[in-house]
Amino acid sequence: MADVSEVLMSVLSTIRVPKPGDRVHKDECALSFSSPESEGGLYVCMNSFLGFGSQYVERHHARAGQRAYLHITRTRKAKKEDDNNSGSGHPPKKKPTRLAIGIEGGFDVEQEHYEEDYKVVIFPERQEVTSEDLGAMPDVVKERVSLSMAGIIAADSVSHALQVQQWDGEVRQESRFAADLKQLDNGVKIPPSGWRCEVCGLQENLWMNLTDGKVLCGRRYFDGSGGNNHALLYFQETGYPLAVKLGTITPDGADVYSYDEDDMVLDSKLPEHLSHFGIDMMTMEKTERTMTELEIAVNQRVGEWEVIQESGTTLRPLFGPGLTGMKNLGNSCYLNSVMQVLFTVPDFVSKYVSNMDKIMDEAPSDPTQDFKIQVAKLGYGLSSGDYSKPAPDPGDENAAAEHKDYQIGIAPRMFKALVGRGHPEFSTNRQQDAQEFLLHFINMVERNCRSGPNPSEAFRFLVEEKIVCQQSRKAKYTQRVDYIIQLPVPMDQAINTDELQEAERRRENGDSTATPVRAQIPFAVCMAALSEPELLTDFWSSAVQTKTTATKTTRFASFPDHLVIQIKKFTFGLDWVPKKLDVSIDVPDTLDLSALRALGQQPGEELLPEVAPPPLMTPDVEVKAPVLDDSTVSQLCDMGFPLEACRKAVYYTGNTGIDSAMNWLMGHIDDPDFSAPLVLPGCSGGTTPTMESISEEHLATIVSMGFSREQATKALRATSNTLERAVDWIFSHLDDLESMEVSEGGRSAAESEAAREPPPGPCVRDGPGKYELFAFISHMGTSTMCGHYVCHIKKDQQWVIFNDQKVCASEKPPKDLGYLYFYRRVAE
């Protein structure tokens, strides 16, 4: 052992003992889904505590220069017979009585039993050192190596911390404001739908203040999505502490946030506080089963659960490349379904799987925190077939029968932790909306593909909105980027209305034998509802210089390579209870949207003028600059828009308020001079105020994120030198920033900016509007916040169902019950 002892002595300075806060990756390879149970085991670097499978440890040694690794192998133990087994040999099944995991009354979390073996391996020689070998080595070597081994073995692995071991929702505390909350008698009554932020008009992520009923948007998330912080700003202005999130109110409670306590809280008087504003659903009688009992029992429902999962048929398990299952990490089926579909899209496979070796060669020192690495790791895991193998025999006859169709699959723990980091919803273990996650992931891809191919372009398309003023008959055209078509579900157009009414009558009469009837809605009716003109009742017309009515028509300005359609099944009843529409829609296998192609301005059609309101006149008839509403300008700036764009919006809409200014901004956001200074009639220059010098500290912070100094300067100038707003702004203007040229030596940033051409519009693909269906994601349950997701994907003309770790040939794909549908262009 003298040679090994000398080698260990030479690398002793690189061997660390884990300290509190160190991230120890001892259950999963940073670059693959290898684990201690995999062939070859897992090698944990004794310096960085990163884990590597046998196929990547040599690469890490060569790049990082580390030599000492703790090699962990894990072998499954045979299960012992349970003393409480019934006479039949099967353990008695305890029915869960609580919607929780790993606690009394909840769902059991079966702990696997393993035998583990540890040894130190020195690279590149691959010399092995066991604990027994250390006993014969010098004390200084024995002590350091033993402490490092013990520390790694005892440490909680990162994946273990992320894994669901015990879950009972969030434990929230009673707010100290709830008992004595003062509510204003201002006559405000809140309707069950149609809410908008009273400042910016946003229609999602809305919170109602429980003091005065003000409806405002929530916080802006780190990625620029979410709200515009108006509910928070309102608290800072008024001190009214509690708000309830609209859309989360059920007979069992709601999401209540205390701005003063800066946390989600309980409000024991919530029914009383809601009824003050006309929301009396909290006093409704519950059904004979609680919501929790309904969610637990929903697996036994005869209906969409059995149909969507094809439970009534014997499904043939499939294995091989592109047929890899994914473990459910506790309500992560929404993520599993979305990623399975995305990695059948050639753009994502080409970007992340085909370039796997190049991506791995460029891996940073900590690949667990690198977006490109973790997406490539997931894509390769799904595509390669390396993990598409039958799961090992669990060791008892009953479990073997239940799990015979399951795969080893992959557990996307690192990926889920990375893409959810900092997000208030996707960082939790609660069920989420698959459509919201799809858009969140696309947004992350956009941010991380500022150079090189961008696979999200496969879904990106332009929407043309045509607004016609009903008074002047003049039109305005605007374009915006989108990724998903949202199809409304007109329930009044069901083709089996008589059956539905009869079923409802029998249900009201207490007929327990009545068979549930599902509304049948033609797909053509949904498309017609999308394409029909929408009436705008509060439109400010620049032609008549006042508010009037208008119609808005939406069409495709481009057709993407891959089209995503969302069926808007989730809504609210008149009693405020969130509900899911139980509908069957005859979604076609092929789709021709050519008739919805935008035509642009028509011959003889007049456009609404970009006319400013009449200038203010003084007695000497001298033209003066108009007085702009500073509060409206400030509110628009707080949303992240450039100061000069906000000034122009207020000017060109004649100080008529935030709504019309927002409409102007959204209609001109792609203009080349969007952020240029406001030039008044009769003036030769802009009116931009002199700004203070840009903060070097703010510049350095943004440059450290991978942007150029010129790009950082532009963001800070556009947001009055405010770092937080500049970061939001920069991620919402990536297309503009990508077109900025780095200034050549000797030229100032201003000269470079003046010299370059106007930035191009968003990069979109276009082609025929003919498509074929290749995948769909289905949801089972009463709302997006509970239930289960699966996806069906067409592979080699065969429909395949991906239900977490089960991958099988589909016998009866329930195409009429889907939630998200994925089409690809058909080549003509």
Side-chain angles (χ1 to χ4, degrees), residues 702-713:
I702 297 177
V703 169
S704 69
M705 300 170 67
F707 296 95
S708 71
R709 184 179 178 86
E710 291 185 358
Q711 292 169 334
T713 300

Side-chain angles (χ1 to χ4, degrees), residues 644-717:
E644 287 302 321
C646 299
R647 289 169 56 80
K648 285 193 286 188
V650 175
Y651 174 74
Y652 285 117
T653 55
N655 284 328
T656 52
I658 188 77
D659 289 340
S660 53
M662 273 291 294
N663 287 336
W664 190 95
L665 284 169
M666 299 312 294
H668 294 77
I669 197 167
D670 292 324
D671 292 355
D673 61 346
F674 183 66
S675 304
L678 170 63
V679 179
L680 301 178
C683 300
S684 59
T687 62
T688 305
T690 303
M691 293 188 57
E692 61 186 37
S693 59
I694 299 298
S695 165
E696 285 296 328
E697 182 180 352
H698 292 352
L699 273 176
T701 300
I702 297 177
V703 169
S704 69
M705 300 170 67
F707 296 95
S708 71
R709 184 179 178 86
E710 291 185 358
Q711 292 169 334
T713 300
K714 183 173 182 178
L716 287 166
R717 283 178 175 165

Side-chain angles (χ1 to χ4, degrees), residues 263-540:
D263 204 355
M264 299 297 295
V265 296
L266 296 176
D267 178 1
S268 57
K269 290 190 173 183
L270 186 60
E272 175 186 330
H273 293 155
L274 291 173
S275 65
H276 180 83
F277 300 107
I279 306 172
D280 59 0
M281 48 73 59
M282 298 299 292
T283 62
M284 289 172 44
E285 293 183 8
K286 290 185 179 181
T287 58
E288 60 187 33
R289 293 191 295 176
T290 67
M291 297 296 286
T292 297
E293 290 167 342
L294 286 170
E295 288 183 21
I296 292 172
V298 78
N299 277 294
Q300 285 88 46
R301 277 181 57 193
V302 176
E304 66 176 4
W305 284 78
E306 285 198 349
V307 174
I308 290 175
Q309 296 186 107
E310 305 185 50
S311 302
T313 56
T314 301
L315 300 179
R316 175 171 55 90
L318 298 176
F319 304 94
L323 298 169
T324 302
M326 297 175 70
K327 294 180 181 177
N328 194 318
L329 306 178
N331 290 326
S332 64
C333 51
Y334 68 92
L335 178 150
N336 293 353
S337 297
V338 169
M339 299 314 298
Q340 289 281 13
V341 174
L342 288 185
F343 274 104
T344 62
V345 175
D347 295 77
F348 282 86
V349 174
S350 174
K351 172 76 175 183
Y352 295 108
V353 180
S354 302
N355 290 326
M356 179 75 173
D357 289 338
K358 181 176 183 292
I359 292 173
M360 293 302 172
D361 287 339
E362 298 171 352
S365 58
D366 185 0
T368 67
Q369 303 302 303
D370 185 81
F371 179 81
K372 191 189 302 183
I373 289 285
Q374 292 307 314
V375 177
K377 168 183 167 179
L378 179 70
Y380 181 81
L382 292 175
S383 305
S384 65
D386 292 352
Y387 309 96
S388 180
K389 301 172 183 176
D393 189 338
D396 67 77
E397 178 185 345
N398 191 41
E402 289 185 359
H403 293 79
K404 62 182 177 65
D405 297 339
Y406 282 69
Q407 295 188 5
I408 294 175
I410 59 177
R413 295 189 185 98
M414 286 185 188
F415 174 81
K416 182 177 184 295
L418 185 63
V419 298
R421 187 175 60 196
H423 194 283
E425 295 297 338
F426 301 126
S427 60
T428 71
N429 288 321
R430 296 189 295 269
Q431 185 62 280
Q432 305 297 336
D433 188 335
Q435 179 257 358
E436 291 180 0
F437 176 75
L438 172 61
L439 290 179
H440 170 71
F441 181 71
I442 285 177
N443 186 44
M444 294 197 75
V445 172
E446 294 276 12
R447 289 171 53 188
N448 285 275
C449 292
R450 294 193 301 113
S451 60
N454 183 348
S456 65
E457 289 177 7
F459 299 110
R460 188 190 298 161
F461 60 95
L462 284 177
V463 175
E464 179 188 275
E465 292 182 345
K466 174 183 179 181
I467 298 178
V468 178
C469 169
Q470 295 298 288
Q471 194 167 338
S472 67
R473 306 308 301 173
K474 295 181 179 180
K476 179 173 75 170
Y477 290 86
T478 59
Q479 289 188 344
R480 59 177 170 83
V481 171
D482 216 331
Y483 296 88
I484 291 179
I485 298 177
Q486 294 183 312
L487 279 191
V489 181
M491 295 296 290
D492 58 344
Q493 300 292 313
I495 60 176
N496 58 338
T497 305
D498 293 342
E499 295 177 44
L500 291 168
Q501 292 175 345
E502 175 63 19
E504 182 63 24
R505 184 190 64 77
R506 295 180 63 180
R507 188 160 49 249
E508 290 176 351
N509 293 335
D511 186 352
S512 59
T513 64
T515 304
V517 178
R518 179 173 290 123
Q520 298 177 16
I521 312 292
F523 181 80
V525 169
C526 300
M527 289 299 300
L530 173 74
S531 58
E532 287 176 353
E534 175 187 353
L535 183 64
L536 306 178
T537 58
D538 199 25
F539 176 73
W540 189 88

